[in-house]
Amino acid sequence: MTDSALVPSSLVRDAPDKRAATQKLGVVARAAAVFRMDRLVVFPDREGEGEWGGGFVETVLQYATTPPYLRKEAFGTRDELECAGVLPPLRVPSWTGSESDDSGSLREGIVTQVGPEGRVRVNCGLQHPLSLHAGDRSVSEGERVTVRVSSRSPVRAKLVDAPSPGPQVHRADLDAALDGAGLRVATSRHGLPLTVDRLPDLVDRGRDGLAVAFGAPGRGLAELLGESPPADPADPPGGFDVWLNTIPNQGSEVVRTEDAMVASLACLTLR
């Protein structure tokens, strides 16, 4: 089961400057972390992009969702990250060391050296880089990997094929991002109003994977996709299972993407 939040490359098209654009992306990344999204997908909306396009959006989101102990090594110095200091902390437990110390503790690392006999050195935020055996895996210097730490004193760890903690950022076409999701939701003020009676069915359908797509400032999903607002909720356009208005009684004329993310994911991720 994979849960994904899908945002357009035009997400910060209304930002007056790089600092404001970075702040907004930080709020989006934090919402994805708070509601345990596995993926944060940036899908193309090139016609709607302003000064801060898809490359900027992807880079800042990737930086925000990277553990602080890996950021310098993974990104170095980039123009897109000039205002990265305004990003809010995500505080994913494995980044802060506050998760359980049992055998299930996972940490994201970066390979700093590939040596002989299948051994690699991995920086995963502990006191020193770890020397680990890669086994049958083929890894290269600079590759991001997941490490399972079973003991910290003494350190015992191994490379594992498991998702890294926290949301992973990808760029993909919308069709590809929706493929395989158990429930594919388009958020729109023109969608079916979310009610208490409808919520249990939606939550149940989302247990096998959830993909929730959001629009951009001044450019909702219908306009962004070149679709007419859904006239019949039983026949949703755009490859979605449902077009949903998650704030049917909105008290502000404009609901920002980051507002919609919190309102939508808080409901749809209930268990």
Side-chain angles (χ1 to χ4, degrees), residues 229-240:
D232 181 3
D235 185 25
F240 293 96

Side-chain angles (χ1 to χ4, degrees), residues 25-260:
L25 292 171
V27 175
V28 167
R30 183 159 173 80
V34 166
F35 295 106
R36 292 184 176 272
M37 293 292 102
D38 302 297
R39 300 195 308 163
L40 186 49
V41 180
V42 181
F43 63 88
D45 176 30
R46 296 180 182 88
E47 292 183 10
E49 290 179 5
E51 184 176 357
W52 321 107
F56 174 84
V57 170
E58 180 187 23
T59 298
V60 175
L61 288 177
Q62 284 181 335
Y63 185 88
T65 55
T66 295
Y69 56 80
L70 291 183
R71 288 174 176 172
K72 183 176 181 179
E73 190 154 20
F75 291 91
T77 302
R78 300 192 189 184
D79 290 342
E80 300 98 317
L81 301 173
E82 180 183 358
C83 299
V86 303
L87 291 169
L90 302 195
R91 297 192 62 81
V92 174
S94 63
W95 298 2
T96 63
S98 60
E99 87 285 13
S100 169
D101 285 330
D102 62 18
S103 60
S105 298
L106 297 177
R107 292 182 71 82
E108 187 173 353
I110 188 168
V111 177
T112 59
Q113 184 180 356
V114 177
E117 300 180 353
R119 297 204 71 83
V120 296
R121 290 181 68 81
V122 179
N123 174 11
C124 60
L126 300 181
Q127 187 173 3
H128 303 288
L130 303 180
S131 177
L132 302 174
H133 198 277
D136 296 331
R137 294 183 54 176
S138 176
V139 297
S140 56
E141 189 172 323
E143 183 176 342
R144 304 274 279 272
V145 294
T146 303
V147 176
R148 184 182 299 278
V149 179
S150 56
S151 171
R152 296 199 181 195
S153 182
V155 174
R156 295 189 181 94
K158 65 178 180 178
L159 296 180
V160 293
D161 290 317
S164 299
Q168 302 299 299
V169 176
H170 305 274
R171 284 182 82 174
D173 290 337
L174 192 56
D175 290 344
L178 293 173
D179 186 40
L183 178 64
R184 298 164 296 183
V185 178
T187 57
S188 170
R189 68 184 304 169
H190 303 292
L192 195 67
L194 179 60
T195 64
V196 172
D197 291 337
R198 291 190 175 113
L199 185 58
D201 177 62
L202 292 168
V203 169
D204 187 60
R205 292 166 65 187
R207 291 181 188 274
D208 294 326
L210 176 68
V212 188
F214 301 90
R219 193 169 165 82
L221 268 178
E223 179 184 351
L224 190 152
L225 300 177
E227 301 277 2
S228 299
D232 181 3
D235 185 25
F240 293 96
D241 297 310
V242 62
W243 284 65
L244 198 61
N245 181 357
T246 55
I247 313 177
N249 191 32
Q250 66 186 62
S252 174
E253 184 178 346
V254 175
V255 173
R256 298 172 178 172
T257 304
E258 55 269 39
D259 300 331

